């Protein structure tokens, strides 16, 4: 099953423009007991959409569903393009590989340019859909309970901030050296006008403002309904499967991520600690990973603060990993590189991520983090993690001024990955090295490592002969944006 959104595109094709939801085809949005498990059956016209609670839920669900598009988090911004840029895969060794030019950071290559432009256009299209919902939400207060109003508006504001932040991380300058440089538009309304490109700091301030408002609204419901069984019928779709919603703790976690990105370590630490201490999230246990392959909790669902439910996830996963037809598309890693990342020579083979998240197909090693074998086993299928508990510990480790306390944050994750703890008397340089190693091991297939390099403006990128620089870290704006966009700040 899949959801289908028919959108009316702005007639001015010279600029990325605005997509407004014209039709949404849904049956019961939660008929299959998953937040994004939807079946098309009836068409709801735009002027009828915001006349009931269900209409507002439909519009919100449309935003989540569009985020799973393969141009966005369903591939490009997670295990596909972003992880190719992070040099996780062997793609750079095959000149005919689908991601070969990407691994060389050849942003002028036609294929790479198209991929980058699709991220820009589809993200802003979805932000327009989100803004369409926000433009109607206040007038719908009479149709909604106070709880429903605050949850829907809070999630929509949080999603707007989340999507803009990833656009900033991709297309904006290296923040620590160029926060006053031009970055991206921050779009908060539906308009046919070209939106002004703003300095990175202004965009970051707008992201934080949206997150803070979302935090206030979503504080009305801070509970987390754990993902348990797909056969359970949620009594209220807004209050169920909260990990697949941009929930209160997701707001806190993304605030920690944003504050770290802009260099405000004190606020980043405060937000991360609040999630760690009060969010109620737990670590995966080895028993969750040693059962039959069909029951492995490969994405560590209990650790997910915010994840998408991607009903089509098996298509790209099968295409690139299990059963990939040839080396021109297969995303693989040599056992040598894997052993280096997981420090096997120093006891890393005990790491749960090393031991349980890899499979071999015809002598080819590939990651199985997003792959489930049995089509009938959907307890953990389709979950695409975007914000997780370990990141909060890594942020806390990086932002804690006391080194022994910082090491304890790293050790908490290590101990829950089957590894021995690190000595607490590390020096500052060694601590930074261990945080980097932790990112390499943890965020495989999640698209976060490249942004780590960019945030710190690192010149050395593991497994790449290219030196890190703005030419590598800053995606070029699409050609039509350069030609027709408002370049006032350039």
């Amino acid at each position: 099953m899949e959801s289908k959104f028919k959108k009316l595109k702005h007639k001015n094709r010279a600029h990325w423009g605005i997509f407004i939801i014209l039709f949404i085809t849904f049956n019961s949005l939660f008929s299959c007991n998953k937040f994004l498990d939807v079946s098309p059956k009836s068409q709801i016209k735009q002027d009828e959409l915001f006349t009931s609670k269900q209409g507002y839920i439909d519009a919100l669900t449309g935003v989540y569903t569009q985020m799973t598009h393969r141009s966005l988090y369903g591939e490009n911004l997670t295990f596909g393009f972003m992880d190719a840029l992070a040099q996780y895969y062997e793609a750079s060794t095959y000149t005919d590989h689908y991601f070969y030019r990407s691994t060389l950071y050849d942003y002028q290559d036609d294929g790479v340019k198209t991929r980058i432009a699709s991220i820009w256009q589809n993200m802003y299209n979805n932000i327009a859909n989100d803004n369409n919902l926000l433009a109607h939400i206040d007038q719908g207060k009479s149709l909604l309970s106070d709880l429903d109003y605050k949850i829907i508006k809070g999630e929509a504001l949080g999603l707007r901030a989340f999507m803009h932040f990833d656009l900033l991380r991709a297309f904006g300058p290296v923040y620590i050296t160029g926060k006053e440089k031009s970055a991206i538009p921050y779009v908060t309304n539906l308009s046919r006008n070209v939106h002004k490109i703003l300095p990175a700091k202004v965009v970051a301030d707008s992201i934080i403002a949206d997150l803070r408002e979302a935090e206030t609204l979503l504080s009305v419901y801070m509970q987390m309904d754990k993902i348990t069984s797909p056969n359970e019928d949620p009594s209220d779709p807004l209050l169920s499967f909260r990990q697949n919603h941009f929930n209160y703790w997701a707001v806190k976690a993304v605030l920690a991520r944003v504050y770290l990105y802009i260099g405000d370590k004190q606020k980043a630490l405060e937000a991360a600690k609040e999630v760690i201490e009060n969010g109620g999230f737990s670590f995966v246990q080895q028993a969750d990973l040693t059962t039959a392959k069909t029951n492995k909790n490969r994405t560590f669902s209990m650790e997910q603060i915010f994840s998408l439910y991607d009903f089509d996830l098996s298509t790209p996963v099968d295409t690139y990993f299990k059963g990939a037809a040839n080396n021109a598309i297969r995303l693989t890693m040599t056992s040598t590189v894997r052993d280096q990342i997981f420090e096997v020579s120093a006891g890393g083979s005990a790491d749960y991520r090393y031991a349980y998240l890899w499979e071999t197909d015809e002598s080819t090693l590939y990651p199985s983090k997003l792959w489930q074998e049995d089509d009938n086993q959907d307890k953990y299928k389709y979950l695409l993690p975007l914000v997780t508990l370990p990141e909060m510990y890594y942020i806390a480790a990086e932002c804690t001024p006391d080194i022994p306390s910082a090491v304890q944050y790293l050790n908490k994750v290590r101990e829950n990955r089957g590894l021995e703890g690190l000595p607490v008397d590390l020096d500052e340089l060694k601590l930074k090295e261990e945080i980097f190693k932790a990112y390499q091991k943890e965020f495989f297939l999640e698209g976060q490592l490249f942004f780590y390099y960019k945030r710190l403006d690192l010149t050395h990128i593991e497994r790449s002969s290219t030196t890190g620089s703005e030419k590598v870290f800053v995606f070029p704006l699409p050609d039509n944006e350069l030609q027709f966009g408002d370049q006032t700040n350039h």
Side-chain angles (χ1 to χ4, degrees):
M1 290 178 288
E2 61 182 358
S3 58
K4 297 182 179 179
F5 296 84
K6 299 180 179 179
K7 303 178 181 71
L8 180 64
K9 190 173 184 180
H10 192 297
K11 292 183 179 179
N12 179 8
R13 298 179 63 88
H15 187 63
W16 53 264
I18 294 292
F19 278 35
I20 299 176
I21 301 175
L22 182 60
F23 295 104
I24 299 181
T25 55
F26 283 128
N27 180 12
S28 169
L29 283 170
F30 304 95
S31 60
C32 294
N33 307 322
K34 286 290 188 181
F35 185 56
L36 295 178
D37 182 357
V38 294
S39 300
K41 188 173 183 180
S42 61
Q43 291 187 337
I44 306 172
K45 294 182 180 180
Q46 167 74 7
D47 58 359
E48 299 174 359
L49 182 61
F50 299 111
T51 59
S52 67
K53 172 183 173 178
Q54 188 62 51
Y56 284 95
I57 295 176
D58 289 355
L60 181 61
T61 305
V63 176
Y64 285 107
T65 302
Q66 186 62 21
M67 289 175 73
T68 69
H69 193 278
R70 289 181 65 172
S71 66
L72 300 178
Y73 299 97
E75 180 183 324
N76 273 343
L77 294 175
T78 50
F79 55 86
F81 182 52
M82 296 309 304
D83 270 3
L85 296 180
Q87 306 295 327
Y88 269 128
Y89 305 123
E90 282 189 276
S92 61
T93 64
Y94 301 99
T95 58
D96 62 341
H97 195 282
Y98 182 63
F99 285 110
Y100 176 69
R101 304 309 303 183
S102 300
T103 65
L104 301 182
Y105 309 107
D106 183 1
Y107 298 148
Q108 297 307 310
D109 173 77
D110 287 343
V112 180
K113 286 176 68 175
T114 298
R115 191 173 295 114
I116 290 173
S118 72
I119 294 171
W120 175 277
Q121 180 164 328
N122 283 290
M123 193 77 94
Y124 274 116
N125 289 342
N126 204 30
I127 289 170
N129 292 334
D130 198 22
N131 282 332
N132 190 37
L133 168 59
L134 287 166
H136 288 84
I137 187 67
D138 286 344
Q139 72 186 41
K141 291 183 74 171
S142 62
L143 302 171
L144 304 167
S145 69
D146 182 66
L147 178 66
D148 292 340
Y149 166 79
K150 289 179 177 178
I151 288 178
I152 293 172
K153 185 174 183 179
E155 288 186 28
L157 284 168
L159 289 172
R160 184 168 74 185
F162 184 83
M163 290 185 283
H164 275 105
F165 181 55
D166 277 347
L167 286 168
L168 175 63
R169 291 200 292 177
F171 293 91
V174 175
Y175 195 90
I176 61 174
T177 60
K179 64 183 179 181
E180 302 299 336
K181 293 182 180 179
S182 297
I184 61 170
Y186 199 88
V187 184
T188 60
N189 57 66
L190 291 169
S191 171
R192 291 178 179 270
N193 298 323
V194 173
H195 291 272
K196 186 176 182 179
I197 293 178
L198 302 171
K201 185 180 185 305
V202 175
V203 175
D205 289 345
S206 299
I207 290 167
I208 291 169
D210 268 351
L211 288 171
R212 286 301 186 189
E213 186 176 356
E215 176 187 8
T216 299
L217 290 164
L218 292 172
S219 65
V220 72
Y221 192 83
M222 298 164 59
Q223 295 93 315
M224 291 297 295
D225 175 61
K226 301 298 182 182
I227 298 170
T228 53
S229 170
N231 298 317
E232 293 180 1
D233 182 25
S235 57
D236 188 325
L238 285 178
L239 306 183
S240 303
F241 306 106
R242 292 299 296 165
Q243 286 159 308
N244 294 146
H245 297 245
F246 201 79
N247 58 77
Y248 175 83
W249 298 108
V251 172
K252 285 289 188 180
V254 174
L255 275 169
R257 184 184 280 183
V258 174
Y259 281 129
L260 180 62
Y261 193 79
I262 67 174
D264 191 335
K265 289 189 174 182
Q266 180 178 345
K267 289 183 179 178
L269 178 59
E270 291 171 358
K273 286 178 66 176
E274 188 163 354
V275 177
I276 290 169
E277 295 170 3
N278 301 315
F281 298 94
S282 59
F283 283 98
V284 72
Q285 299 299 306
Q286 189 173 21
D288 297 312
L289 303 168
T290 54
T291 56
K293 288 183 179 181
T294 54
N295 291 314
K296 282 184 181 179
N297 190 347
R298 299 174 191 262
T299 60
F300 303 178
S301 64
M302 62 284 293
E303 300 179 11
Q304 294 170 17
I305 301 171
F306 173 49
S307 57
L308 293 175
Y309 192 73
D310 184 356
F311 216 93
D312 192 41
L313 186 59
S314 62
T315 298
V317 168
D318 287 351
T319 298
Y320 291 125
F321 303 115
K322 178 194 174 188
N326 56 61
N327 288 331
I329 58 174
R330 189 191 292 264
L331 293 175
T332 64
M333 178 184 286
T334 66
S335 58
T336 300
V337 170
R338 180 190 63 166
D339 291 354
Q340 289 173 347
I341 289 176
F342 287 96
E343 303 178 280
V344 169
S345 62
S349 60
D351 193 318
Y352 300 163
R353 297 161 297 192
Y354 176 89
Y356 304 118
L357 298 183
W358 298 84
E359 300 290 341
T360 301
D361 180 55
E362 297 180 357
S363 300
T364 299
L365 184 70
Y366 68 94
S368 60
K369 185 174 185 175
L370 299 177
W371 171 52
Q372 300 295 324
E373 286 194 36
D374 189 346
D375 287 339
N376 295 319
Q377 165 54 33
D378 59 0
K379 184 174 182 178
Y380 309 118
K381 285 176 66 174
Y382 314 124
L383 295 178
L384 191 60
L386 299 186
V387 186
T388 62
L389 182 62
E391 184 182 1
M392 298 301 101
Y393 282 88
Y394 299 153
I395 291 174
E398 189 171 344
C399 297
T400 297
D402 176 65
I403 289 183
S405 297
V407 174
Q408 291 293 359
Y409 282 115
L410 288 182
N411 282 344
K412 181 67 173 181
V413 182
R414 290 177 62 88
E415 291 160 7
N416 281 281
R417 294 292 185 260
L419 298 171
E420 293 184 0
L422 299 165
V424 296
D425 59 348
L426 300 180
D427 60 33
E428 185 176 356
L429 184 61
K430 183 64 174 177
L431 175 62
K432 290 180 179 179
E433 180 183 335
E434 291 298 336
I435 292 173
F436 168 69
K437 290 178 181 178
Y439 268 78
Q440 274 204 115
K441 296 170 186 175
E442 186 65 41
F443 296 115
F444 202 90
L445 274 63
E446 294 185 31
Q448 296 301 314
L449 184 59
F450 179 79
F451 291 138
Y452 175 91
Y453 286 120
K454 178 173 181 175
R455 173 170 62 81
L456 296 176
D457 196 19
L458 298 178
T459 56
H460 176 67
I461 299 173
E462 291 287 335
R463 299 173 294 281
S464 174
S465 60
T466 303
T467 300
S469 67
E470 289 241 342
K471 290 183 178 180
V472 169
F473 295 138
V474 180
F475 293 179
L477 300 185
D479 289 341
N480 58 356
E481 179 67 28
L482 289 170
Q483 183 177 359
F484 296 99
D486 184 342
Q487 301 295 302
T488 303
N489 293 295
H490 279 267

